[in-house]
Amino acid sequence: MAGVDPLATLRHAWSLPADSPEQANVLSGLRATLETVPPNIPVLLLNNLLPSFQHQPDSLFKQWLFDLVWYVVCRAPMNVEERTIIALNYVDPMRELLADANPFYMKLAIQTLGAIYPQVFRICCTDYSQLVHWNKMVEVRMRVMEYNVHPTTPLGVRLASIKFLQRVILVHSRGPSDPRLHNPNDPHLAFCPDNHPFLNPVALKAEGHKVTEQCLLTFWNNRSPDVITAMVQSFGIIAKLRQELVEFVYTAFVEWKPAHLLGDSLTAVRSIYKTMRIALVHLNRTQPQGRYRAQVDDAIRKLDTKLQEVLAHGDIKRLKPGLDSVDATGTTPKKHRPVDPTILANFDFSTLSNDILAEIVVESLKLVTEEHLDAAIQAWKSSRTADGPSTPVPVQDEIMEEVVVKSEPIDPLIMDMEEDLQLEAPRPILEMEPGNEEMGVTGFKLPRPRPMSVKQRLLLVDSCLQRVQKRGHDHAVQHKASPGRLSEQKGKPTPEMWTLLLVRMITRGATSSVGAIEEAEEEEDSNTNDESNDGAVVSKPNKNTALEQEYRMRRMLFEYVMGDFISRYQIATLWLNEEWNNDRILLKKHPTARINYDYWVKEVLLAAADRSDKESFSTFVLDLPELSEGLFDLLRDLAADKARMPTAMVILRPLVELRVPVREEALSVLLELMTHPAADTRKGAIHTVRRWWPDIQPMATRIRAYTTRCLERLAIPSDEEMDEDTKNALGRYLPERVTVPADKNEVTQYLEGSLALSVKDPSFLEPLFRTFSTIDPTVQEAVQDLLVRPIQAIGPNNPKLLEYLKTYPEGSETLVLKILNVFTEGTRPAASIINLVKSLLADRGADARFLMFIISEMDKAEIIRHLPKLVGTLNGTPERRVLLRQMFTSIVEVTQHTNTNQVREGQTKLLAPKELMIQLHDMEQEVGLRKAKEAISICFNLPEIFRSEVLVSVMQHYLDAKALPMLFVWTVLQAVATYKHLTAWVSTNLLSRLITKKVWTNQQLWDGFILCAERTEPNSFDALLQLPKEQLRDLVEKRPAMKVKLREYLTKRAGKSKARNGVYWEVLGEDVATTA
């Protein structure tokens, strides 16, 4: 429907008869079109139409319109921020629909509001002005909970309510604490700060428990299979997204009983149990390392057992017999209509399973009275007796015959390979037994096979290979032509058997046996030809020729496997396992035998690394009987390749966990890869290693030791000597010493593993606290930059981290300050941080820099008392200026109504902007002019707080005061430079007031006055002409350029009258009068 005008189509639909099929078709086509256009078009239509049709009677057009609302909110392609903003506009219309009597609108409203609820919570966590919307969603939640338990609620509305409550449970529970794992489409309690003004995480969690309890009661007590199935599916999603609720879900499943489904069939109960089982199995597959994996497996077994018990004992009423044996009056029950025997004769019972057949027999016997059963048995016995004595049937022969017919041919290739070599001499096929002398086979023995040379063996193997290939091809063609004729395939070799035969012929044929090796050695020493038993002369090639032919066969198999390794890797696995086993056997018998496994496993590994996918290559490597020396070097190379890195990790992990002989080497490779220069390789190794901490030994101990050595290496001075063991302890990817000045990428190699693991266990930061004071300052800066995200993920309430912050070693103050800054930047400090800083100030005498993080939580008097200490920490560095800027924004309350005379100050514990500026001017003697000036300049960099009217109020305050601070005129100059419109007020009012306060009595203030007058000229000339003669002369002497400008200004103002303003003519010079 490309090129369709939505507005024209909508008008056409409106012109058609209401609720007609034609209107329905047009609206349906329009809906399909709107789903292909940008979402702003349907939003625009809704904004124009929804207010008009919201309160109209029910109609097809109204239903279409609200269904479009559902599409825009739930399905339209847009980012989460746009969807949230648009969804807020439809909260009120959808709330009204909840009270509609039409189930269609009720269901649609619940579905739409269910999608809006999480996004309203998410936006309320960051925007504190959205309280109204949250209250509306709380009202919606309470109403939906009522619908969920009301007995007359329609089924469709109830199912929509279950989905809504599922989303409520997800919002009111806690997801992953790591901010990197937060999904804006799945908000939860971790999004909500602890100090939120109207969202209390504890109360929200309690409300979530109430919703969970209601859902659990609905699940246990409801009589509708549809409702129960919907609950099971919702619980499965909850368990998948919230680890903390997994135990609740599988416990609810196990404790559910079908007693309330009294009127439903066995199929409904079985379907519910099957849905539970699928949900739990899917949970374990999607979370293979979940902490409840064992409990979930146990719950699956319990569900299977309970289903079998229900089927066996007939807990469902519908499974019980439909008729009683005898009623109260003693009359016999009504007989069932007999079944036509021809129906049963034509029915194939072999298509039914044993369980179903048993149920049919049991249920059929229940329908037969005891008298009829006894009579039938006696009749059968009589018929057998009337026919005469039966002839004994050789039961054993029948059984044996059946066994012979049904048994599959024994595959001699599955015998132990070692048994083949233990047959040192031929054994007799038949020996004389007592009573069998007439058979004439006394002492018969099978003769020894005719010996074959190496060449003959090779020719035999080649001919067998050709036949095997031909038979395998014919078998594949036949199977493809008639795949359903399984009975004809019975007893014939399978493709797997042919593969095994082919591999064993290659690995055990020719010179791969002990006898062949000995013969080849004898042939090497002899240059004569031997005559075979039949008189034929066999030419014996030399050993090199035999080995070349053997190599050719193996190379042929190698090239075949490499032609499509992904689908043929199982052949390579079988081949190399045979090679390895054959080599072990040959070495026992002949120590000088040539080893094939080591050579070919290297060839296959090198070739397959570039021709395989993750699954095929990892499965192949893990199935090898012995790992070659170069495997780990190959895995290192794979890990360095971004595309093949997952393959290396998939192999290394089970090698560490399952292959004990190579565990140390595999774990060493993984730990070294944690420090690889490539970021993707490091992250892959860290993700693999972190699953073993803290409970999986001995890996956990090695992980701790390695990460500790990495952190300690940062503190080794560049001139300190190290032994070889220390140099090589961290592997090949890290330099012997960290580069100074620091390279951030190199520091990341040392630190990233410890920081990633510290999110799971902050004790990995202990070596960093211990050695931080001895680390080079440039390295310290890089470390502090890297700490930000892990510290945010750990959070301010972790007891271990708080303990390290409380007991930090001397010299690590900058590290502690950085961590505190991460926890308080852009938000109010948590209670744990406030208590920590107070403890550091009281117990350890921490300096004023620590005050910055909690000063916003003090009252006004305490803020004013500590403010000079905080300003005193300024040292001209950008870092300190940033900290003080953050502190200013946290202790200042931005007022909403100000004027040029007075700044309205609310009754609050925070400072008004005017108060802070005045405090900074008043402390210039205490902290020094330089630091006070630096603090005031920070205020000028916050124009959203220190607006022009605030500065005017501050200047007016000091004009009314008895004394002026030394920085007053400097502040005036800064104000004029920041806000140009203040020039008129400063040049007239302020300068005039300074003249009345005799500003020239303080030389520093007088110099500032002159500079201010110069910056605001010519507006300041009127004020300057108010100066006494001596001060005016001093001004023009210091600023000669202003003298000329004042002459011109005075000339224009005085005209040609010399007598007028004579004092100024005297100061400005006689030439003025002459000119006049």
Side-chain angles (χ1 to χ4, degrees):
M1 299 183 65
V4 175
D5 184 0
L7 187 57
T9 306
L10 191 65
R11 290 173 180 168
H12 175 58
W14 181 248
S15 65
L16 295 174
D19 302 336
S20 62
E22 294 80 6
Q23 188 183 52
N25 291 334
V26 174
L27 291 177
S28 177
L30 178 58
R31 170 62 181 273
T33 302
L34 293 177
E35 292 182 3
T36 63
V37 299
N40 60 319
I41 296 179
V43 170
L44 182 62
L45 292 178
L46 289 174
N47 292 340
N48 293 327
L49 296 176
L50 196 61
S52 302
F53 288 89
Q54 179 178 350
H55 303 288
Q56 295 294 327
D58 184 24
S59 64
L60 177 63
F61 196 86
K62 181 179 179 181
Q63 293 183 6
W64 179 87
L65 197 62
F66 276 101
D67 188 65
L68 185 62
V69 174
W70 171 86
Y71 165 74
V72 169
V73 174
C74 302
R75 293 290 185 270
M78 63 182 78
N79 61 51
V80 64
E81 298 296 339
E82 294 176 349
R83 189 186 304 277
T84 303
I85 295 174
I86 293 173
L88 293 179
N89 298 326
Y90 304 129
V91 172
D92 290 334
M94 288 299 171
R95 284 174 59 228
E96 295 180 6
L97 281 187
L98 283 178
D100 199 288
N102 191 337
F104 171 82
Y105 292 115
M106 295 174 64
K107 177 182 176 181
L108 200 64
I110 294 175
Q111 291 175 339
T112 308
L113 292 170
I116 297 175
Y117 188 93
Q119 299 309 323
V120 170
F121 171 81
R122 183 185 61 80
I123 196 173
C124 286
C125 290
T126 56
D127 187 354
Y128 297 167
S129 63
Q130 300 293 335
L131 175 61
V132 176
H133 282 105
W134 178 248
N135 289 336
K136 293 177 181 178
M137 298 312 299
V138 171
E139 178 188 346
V140 170
R141 184 185 72 213
M142 302 304 295
R143 186 176 297 182
V144 173
M145 291 178 67
E146 294 176 2
Y147 288 155
N148 185 49
V149 298
H150 200 279
T152 62
T153 302
L155 178 61
V157 177
R158 187 180 294 276
L159 296 180
S161 301
I162 292 173
K163 187 66 177 179
F164 182 95
L165 297 180
Q166 169 203 314
R167 290 178 173 172
V168 172
I169 293 174
L170 291 175
V171 169
H172 289 251
S173 56
R174 190 169 293 275
S177 58
D178 190 346
R180 295 172 294 183
L181 301 179
H182 286 180
N183 181 2
N185 290 316
D186 180 26
H188 47 80
L189 291 182
F191 283 54
C192 181
D194 295 335
N195 55 358
H196 198 282
F198 60 84
L199 292 179
N200 186 349
V202 177
L204 292 175
K205 190 170 184 178
E207 294 169 1
H209 286 166
K210 293 181 181 178
V211 177
T212 306
E213 291 174 1
Q214 186 191 99
C215 292
L216 182 61
L217 293 176
T218 302
F219 175 58
W220 280 347
N221 301 326
N222 200 279
R223 299 175 180 271
S224 171
D226 294 330
V227 174
I228 296 175
T229 302
M231 294 297 301
V232 171
Q233 293 172 349
S234 293
F235 283 166
I237 296 175
I238 290 171
K240 180 180 177 182
L241 297 178
R242 298 290 182 268
Q243 272 286 315
E244 64 179 16
L245 295 176
V246 172
E247 183 177 6
F248 158 76
V249 171
Y250 71 71
T251 303
F253 285 177
V254 171
E255 294 183 1
W256 179 79
K257 297 179 182 179
H260 294 281
L261 301 181
L262 298 179
D264 290 277
S265 65
L266 172 64
T267 305
V269 177
R270 181 182 294 168
S271 175
I272 292 172
Y273 272 113
K274 184 177 180 180
T275 307
M276 293 182 193
R277 192 180 193 280
I278 291 174
L280 295 181
V281 171
H282 179 69
L283 176 63
N284 267 359
R285 288 181 179 176
T286 55
Q287 299 178 359
Q289 300 299 324
R291 54 179 175 175
Y292 295 106
R293 182 176 180 84
Q295 294 89 328
V296 172
D297 287 335
D298 184 60
I300 294 173
R301 289 190 291 270
K302 290 181 179 179
L303 288 177
D304 294 340
T305 303
K306 291 188 68 173
L307 178 57
Q308 295 301 324
E309 291 176 355
V310 170
L311 298 178
H313 296 91
D315 288 342
I316 302 178
K317 184 177 180 180
R318 191 167 178 175
L319 298 179
K320 294 183 179 180
L323 297 174
D324 297 331
S325 59
V326 180
D327 59 15
T329 61
T331 59
T332 58
K334 181 180 178 181
K335 295 183 179 180
H336 288 271
R337 180 176 61 87
V339 180
D340 186 358
T342 59
I343 298 177
L344 296 179
N346 296 327
F347 183 76
D348 185 7
F349 285 92
S350 63
T351 59
L352 302 179
S353 64
N354 294 336
D355 294 339
I356 296 178
L357 284 174
E359 285 188 38
I360 292 175
V361 173
V362 172
E363 296 300 326
S364 299
L365 290 175
K366 289 180 180 180
L367 301 177
V368 180
T369 63
E370 188 175 351
E371 292 79 3
H372 282 81
L373 182 60
D374 291 339
I377 294 174
Q378 292 299 327
W380 181 81
K381 289 181 178 180
S382 300
S383 64
R384 297 287 291 178
T385 305
D387 294 339
S390 58
T391 304
V393 180
V395 180
Q396 184 66 24
D397 293 343
E398 290 181 357
I399 295 176
M400 291 301 296
E401 182 180 357
E402 182 180 357
V403 171
V404 171
V405 173
K406 292 186 177 180
S407 62
E408 296 289 338
I410 298 176
D411 179 13
L413 300 179
I414 64 173
M415 298 171 58
D416 226 1
M417 289 180 285
E418 296 184 3
E419 293 180 1
D420 297 344
L421 299 174
Q422 293 175 357
L423 302 177
E424 298 179 357
R427 301 177 63 184
I429 302 298
L430 294 175
E431 295 183 359
M432 179 61 67
E433 297 182 2
N436 288 340
E437 291 83 355
E438 68 275 15
M439 295 181 63
V441 291
T442 304
F444 175 79
K445 291 185 178 181
L446 190 69
R448 292 175 60 88
R450 184 179 61 184
M452 301 177 67
S453 66
V454 174
K455 182 176 181 180
Q456 289 174 323
R457 294 172 185 174
L458 291 172
L459 292 174
L460 180 60
V461 171
D462 281 341
S463 64
C464 292
L465 285 176
Q466 295 175 7
R467 291 197 304 271
V468 166
Q469 291 176 351
K470 185 176 185 304
R471 291 290 300 273
H473 176 73
D474 294 343
H475 174 81
V477 172
Q478 181 181 4
H479 180 71
K480 184 176 181 180
S482 56
R485 298 175 60 186
L486 298 177
S487 60
E488 297 182 5
Q489 303 294 332
K490 194 174 254 188
K492 294 185 178 180
T494 61
E496 291 78 11
M497 184 181 296
W498 286 118
T499 303
L500 180 59
L501 177 60
L502 174 64
V503 168
R504 286 195 175 179
M505 290 177 66
I506 293 176
T507 57
R508 298 189 183 190
T511 62
S512 298
S513 64
V514 176
I517 293 173
E518 295 174 350
E519 182 180 340
E521 292 177 350
E522 294 174 359
E523 291 172 353
E524 186 178 12
D525 298 333
S526 176
N527 294 322
T528 61
N529 291 334
D530 294 341
E531 186 176 271
S532 61
N533 291 345
D534 57 359
V537 177
V538 180
S539 176
K540 295 189 175 183
N542 57 41
K543 184 178 180 180
N544 291 334
T545 302
L547 293 179
E548 288 176 0
Q549 293 179 357
E550 181 184 282
Y551 173 82
R552 179 178 58 81
M553 288 188 296
R554 286 183 167 86
R555 175 59 63 179
M556 176 187 64
L557 181 59
F558 169 81
E559 291 176 354
Y560 172 75
V561 171
M562 289 300 113
D564 187 4
F565 184 84
I566 294 177
S567 60
R568 300 171 184 169
Y569 70 91
Q570 294 177 338
I571 300 177
T573 301
L574 177 63
W575 168 33
L576 293 175
N577 274 272
E578 288 286 341
E579 293 282 17
W580 178 84
N581 187 71
N582 199 43
D583 287 345
R584 303 286 81 72
I585 297 172
L586 291 178
L587 287 175
K588 289 180 182 179
K589 300 293 183 179
H590 201 287
T592 61
R594 191 167 59 91
I595 303 302
N596 291 304
Y597 174 79
D598 292 344
Y599 173 80
W600 288 107
V601 75
K602 292 179 182 178
E603 289 287 309
V604 174
L605 285 173
L606 291 174
D610 298 328
R611 308 182 189 183
S612 59
D613 57 8
K614 180 174 69 174
E615 180 180 357
S616 61
F617 190 72
S618 60
T619 304
F620 167 72
V621 172
L622 296 175
D623 287 342
L624 289 175
E626 183 179 332
L627 301 179
S628 62
E629 297 177 356
L631 173 63
F632 291 106
D633 291 333
L634 177 62
L635 292 177
R636 290 177 190 272
D637 296 338
L638 290 179
D641 184 358
K642 181 179 179 180
R644 303 306 303 274
M645 181 270 297
T647 302
M649 299 306 160
V650 168
I651 295 173
L652 285 169
R653 178 189 166 193
L655 289 181
V656 174
E657 294 175 345
L658 304 177
R659 304 287 283 266
V660 177
V662 297
R663 173 178 292 166
E664 287 296 321
E665 189 171 1
L667 184 57
S668 298
V669 172
L670 269 175
L671 293 176
E672 292 177 17
L673 290 175
M674 290 171 58
T675 61
H676 196 278
D680 293 321
T681 302
R682 283 199 310 271
K683 288 179 171 59
I686 292 170
H687 180 73
T688 304
V689 165
R690 67 181 300 178
R691 69 181 69 242
W692 295 320
W693 181 265
D695 300 324
I696 311 300
Q697 294 293 347
M699 287 78 86
T701 303
R702 285 285 310 278
I703 294 169
R704 168 74 78 181
Y706 186 83
T707 54
T708 301
R709 287 197 297 269
C710 288
L711 292 178
E712 291 175 347
R713 179 71 67 87
L714 291 174
I716 296 179
S718 57
D719 56 349
E720 182 177 328
E721 293 293 333
M722 292 188 297
D723 55 26
E724 289 299 322
D725 292 339
T726 305
K727 291 180 181 179
N728 300 328
L730 300 182
R732 64 182 68 179
Y733 301 116
L734 287 177
E736 295 180 2
R737 292 179 177 83
V738 64
T739 305
V740 176
D743 179 1
K744 188 175 180 180
N745 293 329
E746 184 180 287
V747 176
T748 304
Q749 291 179 242
Y750 283 95
L751 204 61
E752 189 168 13
S754 298
L755 295 182
L757 289 166
S758 67
V759 176
K760 198 172 185 179
D761 183 358
S763 64
F764 280 90
L765 295 177
E766 186 274 333
L768 183 62
F769 280 91
R770 175 164 38 86
T771 61
F772 189 80
S773 60
T774 61
I775 297 176
D776 182 81
T778 60
V779 179
Q780 289 183 357
E781 294 179 5
V783 170
Q784 292 179 29
D785 292 340
L786 296 172
L787 271 175
V788 175
R789 294 186 65 180
I791 293 299
Q792 289 174 342
I794 295 173
N797 298 316
N798 189 281
K800 283 187 179 180
L801 181 59
L802 292 175
E803 182 64 24
Y804 294 145
L805 294 174
K806 187 175 182 179
T807 60
Y808 68 89
E810 294 296 331
S812 301
E813 289 83 0
T814 55
L815 177 62
V816 178
L817 290 170
K818 179 63 177 180
I819 295 175
L820 293 176
N821 182 55
V822 171
F823 286 144
T824 57
E825 185 175 7
T827 184
R828 295 178 60 185
S832 57
I833 298 300
I834 296 174
N835 295 332
L836 171 67
V837 174
K838 288 182 178 179
S839 174
L840 293 175
L841 293 172
D843 300 339
R844 303 192 55 170
D847 58 42
R849 290 176 294 173
F850 289 83
L851 277 170
M852 294 185 182
F853 305 108
I854 64 169
I855 193 170
S856 61
E857 302 301 315
M858 299 179 179
D859 57 29
K860 185 180 294 187
E862 288 180 318
I863 293 175
I864 294 175
R865 180 164 57 88
H866 291 296
L867 193 58
K869 297 179 183 178
L870 296 172
V871 175
T873 62
L874 290 171
N875 57 4
T877 60
E879 291 79 9
R880 295 290 175 84
R881 289 176 62 87
V882 169
L883 287 176
L884 201 66
R885 176 190 174 100
Q886 294 175 0
M887 187 267 291
F888 283 170
T889 58
S890 64
I891 64 174
V892 173
E893 180 186 26
V894 181
T895 55
Q896 301 297 326
H897 303 283
T898 56
N899 54 52
T900 57
N901 297 322
Q902 181 180 8
V903 178
R904 181 173 142 190
E905 302 171 11
Q907 299 298 324
T908 175
K909 66 177 183 179
L910 300 179
L911 296 178
K914 172 186 173 182
E915 291 177 316
L916 176 59
M917 186 70 81
I918 292 174
Q919 291 295 327
L920 295 177
H921 282 83
D922 291 345
M923 68 175 66
E924 61 184 18
Q925 298 296 330
E926 184 176 355
V927 301
L929 289 176
R930 184 182 63 80
K931 293 184 177 181
K933 180 190 260 189
E934 188 174 1
I936 296 172
S937 66
I938 294 174
C939 296
F940 279 102
N941 290 327
L942 296 171
E944 67 278 4
I945 297 177
F946 296 92
R947 300 189 293 271
S948 60
E949 56 266 29
V950 174
L951 298 177
V952 170
S953 179
V954 172
M955 291 184 284
Q956 190 68 46
H957 168 81
Y958 282 109
L959 290 176
D960 296 336
K962 293 183 179 180
L964 295 173
M966 300 299 294
L967 293 175
F968 174 76
V969 180
W970 179 85
T971 301
V972 174
L973 292 171
Q974 291 298 112
V976 172
T978 305
Y979 300 102
K980 299 298 183 183
H981 64 276
L982 293 181
T983 302
W985 183 84
V986 169
S987 61
T988 55
N989 297 351
L990 187 139
L991 292 180
S992 299
R993 292 289 303 275
L994 289 178
I995 293 173
T996 59
K997 294 178 72 69
K998 297 183 179 181
V999 66
W1000 53 84
T1001 58
N1002 185 303
Q1003 186 60 44
Q1004 188 171 354
L1005 291 176
W1006 172 242
D1007 293 340
F1009 176 89
I1010 295 174
L1011 182 60
C1012 186
E1014 185 179 21
R1015 296 277 179 86
T1016 58
E1017 65 179 16
N1019 295 335
S1020 61
F1021 288 168
D1022 277 336
L1024 294 181
L1025 294 177
Q1026 300 175 23
L1027 286 169
K1029 181 172 63 174
E1030 295 299 328
Q1031 279 67 43
L1032 182 60
R1033 181 178 288 109
D1034 183 52
L1035 184 147
V1036 296
E1037 288 177 356
K1038 292 181 178 181
R1039 296 290 188 276
M1042 295 185 65
K1043 183 175 182 180
V1044 177
K1045 296 177 182 179
L1046 281 171
R1047 288 175 186 171
E1048 295 175 356
Y1049 178 79
L1050 188 62
T1051 300
K1052 293 178 181 180
R1053 194 181 75 167
K1056 298 182 179 181
S1057 175
K1058 180 179 178 182
R1060 195 175 181 183
N1061 299 321
V1063 175
Y1064 303 118
W1065 302 128
E1066 181 180 351
V1067 173
L1068 297 177
E1070 293 298 329
D1071 54 331
V1072 175
T1074 305
T1075 304

